[in-house]
Amino acid sequence: MRIGLLGTGNVARALADGWRAAGHDVLLGSRHPKERTGLGLPVAGLDETAAHAEVLVNATPGGVSVDLLRSIGAPALAGTLLIDVGVGLSDDFSALTHPNSSLGELIQEAFPLTPVVKTLCTMDSTTMAAPGELTEPGTVFLSGDDPEAKAATGRLLTDLGWPASSQLDIGGITTARGQEHFAFLFMGIAGGVNSHTFNIKVVTRP
C-alpha cells in the first residue's frame, strides 16, 4: 500500500522503516521537506503526501495535529483511512492538551468523511515497529467507528509484527481517550523500569 506518514520524527521514521521492510510504499510528509533530507526515507510536502497515500498516519505533535490536517483540507482527506498515533501533551509533559476528550475524537469530528483509527499510542516508537523484540507479546489497542478501517489498520499492524492475538479492539473512537490518557502511566512505568522500550499486556481469566 501507499502509506503517507505526516511527521518526520522518531515515530514516523520507525513506522515508515517497518512498513517499508514489509513491502509498502512509504512517504514522509513535512511542512519543510527541503530541511528534512538525509533521513534515509523519501520526504515530500504535506499536500503531496496526502495525495500520494492510500493510508495516512498522523505522527505529528498532538497539540498541532488538527490544525495541520486542516491545512491539507477536508476534501483531500475524504475517504482516506487516517491512523492516528499522536498524543497531545504540554511542552513540559505535565498535562494533556485535550484533557476532556482525545486527539482521535477531535480529528474524527473535524473530518467526518475520513475514517480515523487510534492505535499504537501506548508505547514508544521502538516498540511500535518491533514488538517481537520484547520478552513476550504485549497488547496494541484499536479505537474507531469504522469496522473496515479498523480491519485495514489491523492488517498493517500485523505487517509491523503485531499478530491478531495481540490486537484488541476496544470500541468506537471515544475510547481513544483511554489510550491517550495512558500517557501518564506510561511515563511512570518508564521511570520504574528505567526504559521507554516496554509494553503492557491485557490478561484475562481463562
Side-chain angles (χ1 to χ4, degrees):
M1 298 187 74
R2 299 188 307 276
I3 304 175
L5 299 102
L6 303 177
T8 57
N10 292 337
V11 169
R13 297 199 307 271
L15 292 175
D17 283 335
W19 278 318
R20 184 169 65 172
H24 296 287
D25 175 0
V26 301
L27 180 64
L28 299 181
S30 171
R31 285 173 290 188
H32 308 288
K34 293 181 180 180
E35 299 175 9
R36 301 300 289 161
T37 58
L39 298 179
L41 291 160
V43 183
L46 300 177
D47 291 344
E48 182 181 345
T49 301
H52 171 83
E54 297 173 275
V55 176
L56 274 175
V57 180
N58 175 48
T60 63
V64 302
S65 295
V66 173
D67 287 341
L68 183 144
L69 290 167
R70 284 193 174 118
S71 75
I72 298 172
L77 301 177
T80 301
L81 166 58
L82 192 149
I83 299 173
D84 176 34
V85 302
V87 177
L89 288 167
S90 61
D91 291 341
D92 62 359
F93 302 103
S94 67
L96 290 164
T97 54
H98 314 107
N100 299 312
S101 183
S102 67
L103 176 59
E105 290 173 87
L106 295 179
I107 294 174
Q108 187 62 90
E109 181 181 356
F111 303 94
L113 299 181
T114 300
V116 177
V117 178
K118 188 78 184 190
T119 191
L120 289 171
C121 71
T122 55
M123 62 199 74
D124 80 336
S125 59
T126 302
T127 304
M128 290 179 186
E133 294 182 2
L134 300 181
T135 56
E136 61 180 278
T139 302
V140 61
F141 305 96
L142 295 95
S143 302
D145 295 333
D146 188 310
E148 291 184 7
K150 281 197 279 194
T153 301
R155 291 191 291 271
L156 290 174
L157 290 174
T158 299
D159 289 341
L160 291 175
W162 295 95
S165 58
S166 291
Q167 300 177 28
L168 183 59
D169 182 346
I170 59 173
I173 196 62
T174 57
T175 65
R177 67 182 67 182
Q179 293 196 54
E180 295 182 27
H181 289 210
F182 177 77
F184 295 116
L185 182 55
F186 176 89
M187 289 186 279
I189 295 171
V193 301
N194 198 31
S195 173
H196 288 86
T197 304
F198 64 89
N199 194 25
I200 59 170
K201 181 178 182 179
V202 174
V203 295
T204 61
R205 295 180 67 182

